[in-house]
Amino acid sequence: MTTYLSDKPPLDRTWLHKQRRHVRLWRRFFAQAVVRETHFRAHFLTTLLVGLVQLGLGIVPTLLLFGFTAEVHGWSRAEVIALVGVFQIVTGLIATFVAPNLNRMTTYLTEGELDGVLLRPVSSQFYLTLRWINVAELTNVASGIVVLVIGLVQAGIAPSLAQVLQAVVLVGCGLVLLTAVWSAMSFLAFWLQSVNPIGFVFLNLMEAGRYPLVFFPVAVRTFLTFAFPVAFATTFPVQALAGDLGWGPVFAGLGLAVVALLLVRLLWRRGLLTYSSASS
Amino acid sequence: MNAVLRNLRVVRRMTAAEIAQQSVYRGAWIIFMLANITMPIISLLIWRTALASGAELPVDERYVTTYFVLLGFVTMATSSWMAGFLATDIRMGKLSSWMIRPASLLVGFLANNVSEKFLKLFALVPMIGIVWWIFRDSMNIPADAGRWVLFAVSILFGAALVFTIDILIASLAFWMDDVSALVQARVIVASVLSGSVVPLALMPAWSQGFVDNQPFRYTVSFPVEIVAGQLTGRELLVGLGFQLGYVVVFAVIARLVWAAGIRAYSAVGA
C-alpha cells in the first residue's frame, strides 16, 4: 500500500507523460460528473425532455420546407433529416464537454478563479476548457444517433466501413474546430472583461449547421467552412456517409484542426500575459 | 387618474436610472443583438434558396425577405425576459420591501424592459439597416405612412401582450416553488406559434384556422405581416381588434391572478 508518506517518484515531466497525466485527469473529471449526475435525477430527466422537444422543433422548418418541394440542390428530405441527426449529436457533445466550461470564462477571469487554476500542476488551458462535464446532455447525442439512423434508412444509404470512418473523423475535426472558435471568442475576455453573451452568438451561428452547406450563398459557404467551420461538423460527415466525399476533405479537416489548435494555444498565451489577477 | 400619472412619473424616473446603469454594458448589447439577428438571417437564406430552386411556396420572395429582415427587430421590440426574475423575487421574499413602497414591483420591471429595449435599438437598428440594404431590391416597402403607424401601434400592443403573459406565468410562483420549466415551455411554444422560427403563412393548410387566431400570432407575426404582407383594410382592422382583445383579456387575467397571489403571499423572512 502506498500512502502520501511513502516515497513516490517525482512528477515525470516528459511530454508523453504529461499527456498521459492529462488523460488520466480527464477520466477522473468524467467519473466525478457521472457520480454527481446520479444525485440529480430530475436534472437528467428535464435535460432529456427539453432535448427531445428541441429536436422535434428543430426538424419543423425542414419538414415544412420539404412540404413544398421534393429536393433542394440535390438534397432530399431524408438526407436533411440525417443531417439534423448529426447536428444533434455534435451540439450534444459540445453541450456535454465544452459548453459548461466556456460559459464560465467570464467568472474565471473577473472573480480571480483563474489564480487557483494557474497554481495547479496541469495545463491551465486544458483545465479551463474541459474541467466540467454535463453528463445529462449525452441523451441528446443518443437521440441524434436515432434520428441519423432514421434519416439514413429513409434515404436508402448504406455506408461502408471506410465511409463511416471518414464521417467519424470529420465530426471529430468539426468538434475540435468549433471548440477552438468558441475558445478564441471566450478568451477575448482577457481584453473585454465580460464575454458572457458570446455563447449566445456562438450557439446561434451553430444553427446554420442544421442545413446543408449548399443551401447558402457562396460567400456564406466559405464563411461556414473556414471562419466558423460548422460545415466540417455536419454537412461533410453526411456527404461522407452518402459516399459523395473523398479523403481530401478529411485530410483538409485534420490539417485545419491542427492549425486551429495552435492558434488558440497562441491566443491563450497572449491572453495570459495580459492577465492581472482579479483577487490579489 | 392621479395614481396613473404618479405611476407614469415613477416609470419615467426609473427608466432613466436604468438606462444610466445599463449603458455600462454597451459591448454586451452589441453581442446580444448580433445573436438576435443571426437566426432570421439563416432562415432568410434557407427559404430564398428553396424559392430559387423551385419550391412552390404560398408566398413570394418579397414577402419572405421582408419578413425575415424585420423579424429580428420585432422579436426584440416585443420581448420580455422578466418571468424568471419576477418569480425569484416572489420566492425569495424580495417582494416584501416593495409592498411598503408607493409603487408596484411590476413598475420596476416595466422600467427595466423599456430601458433595455431603448439601448438595444442603438445596436440593432444599424445591423438591420445593413441587412435591409443588402436585400433592398426584394423588399416590400409600403408607400403610405399609415401602414408604418399601424406597424408601430401593433408592436406596442404585442409588447404589452408578451409582458402580461410573463406576469401571468411569474405570478404562479406565489403557489409553485419553481416556474422555470413553465418559462421554458412558453419559450418553446411561442417560438413556433409566434412565427419567429417559420412565417405562419408557411404553416400547413390544415392548421391555418388555429394558427391565425391564437394569441402568439399577435406577439410577433402580426406586426411583421402589416409591412410584409398584402393584408386588406378589413384584415388589418380585424387583426388589430384581435390583438387589442388579447391584450385586454390577458391583462385582466394577470391582474386577477396577481391580486390573488398577493393575498396568498407569505414571505420568507417576513
Side-chain angles (χ1 to χ4, degrees), chain B residues 15-151:
Chain B
T15 307
E18 284 264 350
I19 288 177
Q21 200 180 29
Q22 300 288 341
S23 315
V24 179
Y25 308 107
R26 284 179 299 258
W29 293 134
I30 294 175
I31 298 172
F32 267 126
M33 291 302 98
L34 261 181
N36 186 42
I37 62 162
T38 311
M39 273 299 284
I41 291 179
I42 293 172
S43 307
L44 170 61
L45 297 174
I46 294 300
W47 286 99
R48 279 175 68 97
T49 303
L51 275 168
S53 69
E56 306 267 340
L57 304 191
V59 290
D60 61 0
E61 189 192 356
R62 281 181 173 273
Y63 182 94
V64 170
T65 312
T66 314
Y67 191 96
F68 282 115
V69 171
L70 289 180
L71 186 61
F73 174 75
V74 175
T75 47
M76 188 283 277
T78 64
S79 61
S80 168
W81 47 87
M82 69 160 171
F85 295 103
L86 179 52
T88 313
D89 283 359
I90 293 171
R91 186 161 44 93
M92 304 298 279
K94 212 181 151 195
L95 182 55
S96 305
S97 65
W98 280 88
M99 291 176 113
I100 50 167
R101 288 182 202 185
S104 165
L105 166 68
L106 299 178
V107 167
F109 280 104
L110 182 61
N112 170 268
N113 190 291
V114 173
S115 64
E116 289 198 8
K117 283 177 181 172
F118 174 76
L119 289 170
K120 284 173 182 171
L121 279 181
F122 290 99
L124 184 60
V125 169
M127 295 182 200
I128 301 260
I130 292 169
V131 182
W132 186 306
W133 186 80
I134 293 172
F135 292 104
R136 63 191 178 285
D137 291 335
S138 47
M139 295 279 293
N140 266 340
I141 300 162
D144 70 306
R147 289 261 163 170
W148 293 101
V149 173
L150 285 184
F151 177 63

Side-chain angles (χ1 to χ4, degrees), chain A residues 57 64-65 68 73 201 204 215, chain B residues 31 35 49-50 56-57 188 192 204:
Chain A
L57 285 180
L64 285 174
L65 182 67
F68 299 112
H73 286 311
V201 180
N204 275 303
F215 280 30
Chain B
I31 298 172
T49 303
E56 306 267 340
L57 304 191
I188 288 173
V192 171

Side-chain angles (χ1 to χ4, degrees), chain A residues 2-238:
Chain A
T2 51
T3 66
Y4 281 101
L5 285 175
S6 55
D7 278 339
K8 272 199 296 193
L11 270 182
D12 200 324
R13 296 200 180 273
T14 64
W15 187 84
L16 192 69
H17 279 92
K18 224 155 119 188
Q19 310 311 313
R20 284 235 302 267
R21 195 147 44 91
H22 281 85
V23 171
R24 227 166 40 228
L25 207 55
W26 188 83
R27 279 211 311 260
R28 286 286 174 85
F29 295 158
F30 190 75
Q32 185 213 29
V34 171
V35 171
R36 200 179 31 191
E37 198 61 43
T38 57
H39 292 266
F40 299 104
R41 268 159 289 192
H43 170 249
F44 189 82
L45 205 66
T46 41
T47 310
L48 172 69
L49 284 176
V50 170
L52 285 179
V53 173
Q54 276 170 346
L55 176 63
L57 285 180
I59 298 185
V60 166
T62 305
L63 291 182
L64 285 174
L65 182 67
F66 283 95
F68 299 112
T69 177
E71 61 135 40
V72 179
H73 286 311
W75 285 74
S76 69
R77 190 179 72 166
E79 285 165 330
V80 177
I81 287 179
L83 185 105
V84 172
V86 178
F87 177 79
Q88 178 84 354
I89 296 172
V90 171
T91 46
L93 288 172
I94 288 183
T96 311
F97 298 111
V98 184
N101 302 282
L102 293 184
N103 279 330
R104 288 170 204 240
M105 196 55 73
T106 300
T107 350
Y108 273 121
L109 294 180
T110 53
E111 313 272 318
E113 282 175 36
L114 181 56
D115 295 7
V117 177
L118 289 174
L119 290 175
R120 291 171 201 189
V122 292
S123 151
S124 49
Q125 195 186 354
F126 160 82
Y127 190 91
L128 252 63
T129 319
L130 297 169
R131 167 66 183 88
W132 299 102
I133 297 165
N134 186 354
V135 180
E137 290 284 349
L138 283 177
T139 54
N140 290 325
V141 178
S143 62
I145 293 174
V146 173
V147 173
L148 169 63
V149 171
I150 292 175
L152 287 180
V153 170
Q154 277 192 359
I157 296 171
S160 70
L161 205 61
Q163 284 160 355
V164 173
L165 182 69
Q166 282 182 339
V168 171
V169 173
L170 280 165
V171 167
C173 293
L175 274 174
V176 171
L177 284 165
L178 288 170
T179 306
V181 171
W182 195 359
S183 296
M185 285 158 87
S186 304
F187 294 164
L188 290 179
F190 280 118
W191 294 275
L192 303 176
Q193 310 311 331
S194 170
V195 289
N196 268 339
I198 282 280
F200 287 107
V201 180
F202 178 83
L203 292 176
N204 275 303
L205 278 173
M206 273 289 290
E207 290 290 316
R210 276 186 198 285
Y211 304 95
L213 201 56
V214 286
F215 280 30
F216 295 98
V218 176
V220 179
R221 273 182 231 173
T222 316
F223 176 79
L224 292 177
T225 310
F226 297 106
F228 191 85
V230 73
F232 281 98
T234 61
T235 301
F236 293 158
V238 175

